[in-house]
Amino acid sequence: MTTVASTRAPELVLPGSATALLEEYAPPTDRFLATPHRTLLGHGTIAELPHRSGPLSPRVRALLDARRSAGDPDPVVMGALPFDPGAAPALAVPQSVRWAPPLREDPLIALAVPAADTRWSVREVPEPEVYGAAVAAAVERMKAGEFDKVVLARTLELTARETPDLPAMLRRLARRDPAGYTFAVPSAPGRTLIGASPELLVSRCGSTLTANPLAGSAPRSADLAEDVRRAAALLESAKDLHEHAVVVDAVRAALAPFCRTIDVPVRPTLVRTAAMWHLSTTVTGELADPGRTTALDLASALHPTPAVCGTPTGLARQVIAESEPFDRGAYTGMVGWQNADGDGEWVVTIRCAEAEGRLLRLFAGAGVVAESSPEAETAETGAKFRTFLNAVGAAL
């Protein structure tokens, strides 16, 4: 009989317990996720969610119920879901799951990790000029009234001479932003999704839900005075505040039907990562029927938000398909966990890459509205690439 650890925090917390899980991560079968509330490491696979048509959440619930009936006291599903809801999920119940407190509370997370020494060749897909032209074309269509917003992405294809060291890459990402959401999970046969996202899509704990949409960004500066100026300017930017409000309104509309009460702050605050400032709103709510509403039910109702797709959703998806010369895969999908009681955390998969052999494909996107400029959005994606480029020791 397989034993799966409880989701409850351990009574005795030892320094280094969270970083120990980080150090033990081993691809390609392990699944690692660190959030501001906990650190998880799943070993092996005891059951996978098959790819079928129809709603995803009931199938996940059935899989977890079956594992509980088979003797697992607290089974957990972990993994990633793609941007395209019709594409194959990468969700599984690990053979075992170990839990620890958050990385940010572990004093050992401050220890330095040796710099990456991998040599990379870099190819931009599409080239910045082509990406800028796509942004300009979208802006013209928005000014003509066709749609309100679209999120356009580009990629960097990094090729190494040898297979890159993914565990070392994950450790550098985690230490760069220990208060964020760091993950490494299998995303497809032979592929690993790895990243450090700043954005919680939604979590459920008992009857309480929390969502934290981010929209509107500015790059950080190494100069303290300039960094503060950029943060203050972002809080007053009409373009970014409008972009953020569109996302928050969509989150409220998607979650309200599940809630007895919902609280949405009037103005956003700021969230910072090592590379970016983001406008942030923390939405909380009390579920009307927590016995029937799981974390994945909520995540599925939200996905994709205007922060990763655009508005209206259908037309924004069409523009993305016409403008991006690649398949997003798990990028701007979600990664996370859920237990058999319906509690869980689902994170927006941004600031991420997909590793396959010697190839590492990085993704970054920018929200394009009628006031956008090709130069600004290209620069924003370049700034967002920095999170991963610093972790792998590459430069753009």
Side-chain angles (χ1 to χ4, degrees):
M1 181 177 70
T2 301
T3 300
V4 179
S6 169
T7 57
R8 292 173 295 182
E11 294 182 6
L12 178 61
V13 176
L14 298 176
S17 58
T19 51
L21 298 187
L22 178 63
E23 294 289 335
E24 290 180 28
Y25 164 75
T29 57
D30 280 0
R31 296 168 175 87
F32 178 88
L33 177 64
T35 82
H37 305 288
R38 55 186 58 81
T39 305
L40 298 76
L41 179 63
H43 290 295
T45 300
I46 199 168
E48 291 186 342
L49 184 74
H51 179 35
R52 296 174 184 163
S53 60
L56 182 69
S57 184
R59 292 190 285 124
V60 170
R61 188 195 294 262
L63 176 63
L64 291 168
D65 287 345
R67 292 309 312 156
R68 179 174 274 176
S69 298
D72 289 355
D74 195 1
V76 173
V77 68
M78 295 181 68
L81 294 166
F83 172 68
D84 180 359
L91 297 178
V93 178
Q95 191 84 21
S96 64
V97 179
R98 294 168 59 193
W99 302 76
L103 282 174
R104 63 179 177 176
E105 296 178 3
D106 191 326
L108 299 187
I109 196 63
L111 296 178
V113 175
D117 58 3
T118 306
R119 294 184 179 181
W120 301 93
S121 63
V122 181
R123 186 168 79 99
E124 299 181 69
V125 181
E127 294 288 341
E129 297 78 10
V130 177
Y131 177 79
V135 171
V139 167
E140 289 303 311
R141 293 177 65 179
M142 281 182 276
K143 288 180 176 178
E146 288 189 46
F147 53 95
D148 299 319
K149 175 184 175 179
V150 66
V151 178
L152 295 180
R154 62 189 184 107
T155 72
L156 298 180
E157 293 185 353
L158 277 60
T159 304
R161 294 181 180 180
E162 300 177 349
T163 302
D165 187 342
L166 295 185
M169 197 181 299
L170 181 69
R171 291 193 291 271
R172 284 189 291 271
L173 285 167
R175 283 173 163 82
R176 185 170 168 82
D177 281 311
Y181 300 86
T182 306
F183 51 87
V185 298
S187 55
R191 297 181 183 179
T192 297
L193 177 70
I194 181 170
S197 174
E199 185 170 1
L200 172 70
L201 181 63
V202 69
S203 68
R204 197 208 86 161
C205 182
S207 62
T208 300
L209 70 84
T210 304
N212 185 205
L214 307 182
S217 307
R220 302 287 305 277
S221 172
D223 178 82
L224 178 59
E226 173 61 16
D227 196 43
V228 172
R229 188 199 68 77
R230 292 182 184 184
L234 181 61
L235 276 174
E236 300 300 326
S237 166
K239 177 256 186 188
D240 289 288
L241 288 169
H242 170 70
E243 180 184 344
H244 188 80
V246 168
V247 176
V248 172
D249 288 345
V251 168
R252 182 209 307 263
L255 293 179
F258 298 96
C259 294
R260 178 175 290 109
T261 61
I262 188 167
D263 179 60
V264 183
V266 175
R267 286 186 60 85
T269 58
L270 288 172
V271 164
R272 66 182 180 185
T273 68
M276 301 293 295
W277 286 105
H278 298 282
L279 293 177
S280 165
T281 295
T282 300
V283 177
T284 57
E286 181 185 1
L287 293 172
D289 191 351
R292 299 184 60 182
T293 306
T294 68
L296 193 52
D297 286 321
L298 300 170
S300 298
L302 286 169
H303 178 71
T305 72
V308 298
C309 182
T311 53
T313 302
L315 188 50
R317 279 186 177 279
Q318 182 180 332
V319 175
I320 288 169
E322 295 168 353
S323 305
E324 296 179 357
F326 54 85
D327 181 359
R328 286 192 178 188
Y331 170 66
T332 61
M334 56 180 118
V335 61
W337 68 275
Q338 181 174 297
N339 66 15
D341 293 328
D343 286 342
E345 295 171 287
W346 295 99
V347 180
V348 182
T349 46
I350 53 177
R351 310 298 188 277
C352 64
E354 196 167 43
E356 183 176 14
R358 296 185 299 113
L359 177 66
L360 192 67
R361 184 177 289 108
L362 282 61
F363 300 87
V368 181
V369 294
E371 297 80 14
S372 295
S373 73
E375 296 78 14
E377 307 309 335
T378 303
E380 181 176 322
T381 56
K384 289 174 177 176
F385 278 131
R386 287 212 309 268
T387 296
F388 225 101
L389 290 172
N390 289 337
V392 303
L396 179 58

